[in-house]
Amino acid sequence: AQRVTQPEKLLSVFKGAPVELKCNYSYSGSPELFWYVQYSRQRLQLLLRHISRESIKGFTADLNKGETSFHLKKPFAQEEDSAMYYCALSGYTSGSRLTFGEGTQLTVNP
Amino acid sequence: NAGVMQNPRHLVRRRGQEARLRCSPMKGHSHVYWYRQLPEEGLKFMVYLQKENIIDESGMPKERFSAEFPKEGPSILRIQQVVRGDSAAYFCASSRPSGEGTDTQYFGPGTRLTVL
């Protein structure tokens, strides 16, 4: 069975501090990993996916198959980064459906 | 492109009534997904449809729930004889086949169902 775990429901940092949102997964195969973000009163939107290897809004995430992790990182958090972040997984055996973690609410304080 | 549209945004039903949730995918998208988010939980996959076909319904409850995506018109998620446990946010997403890995899913704003 595939599973995504985000161990922190809440994360609070100060502006300018580094931030790391943790994501661990279990999947017997080669998964695709995603980070989605939901800003206040807005819809869920894709932030980045591991196969793109892009940096979006200063965020990066590296897939570590040994540790089965896909942590989201940003070196200097901004107040506008405050949002709900969801890690998600998709796999060959599951087709296009996404398995989501429970989400981490990030608050960046001034 | 207006994005994925869902209506209604809020729906209140009494126990035993029927709930119909609608989803209009983005222009050019032929794949639709439905997810449910119970309070304090993440989104859980329910069903994946293409036009006139159910591709994967492994996340749908066996009873009272059904989904369709007709040739014309929006996708409909139908819940018969609602119970309080059906109270949740229901999200629709759409995609178009890219041929490269998992298609990017674009989400609607959700329908918040409350069962009294």
Side-chain angles (χ1 to χ4, degrees), chain A residues 8 15 26 29 32 37 44 46 50 56 66-67 71 83 86 88 91 103:
Chain A
E8 301 145 327
K15 177 183 172 182
S26 62
E32 286 196 62
V37 60
L44 202 63
L46 179 66
H50 88 272
I56 307 294
E67 295 184 358
H71 303 326
Y86 294 96

Side-chain angles (χ1 to χ4, degrees), chain B residues 101-112:
Chain B
T102 299
D103 305 327
T104 297
Q105 296 181 27
Y106 296 85
F107 281 79
T111 293
R112 190 162 298 278

Side-chain angles (χ1 to χ4, degrees), chain A residues 13-19 59 74-81 106-109:
Chain A
V13 300
F14 285 102
K15 177 183 172 182
V19 63
F59 284 97
K74 185 169 183 176
F76 307 104
Q78 303 299 314
E79 289 180 69
E80 55 266 30
D81 296 327
L106 173 66
T107 302
V108 181
N109 300 299

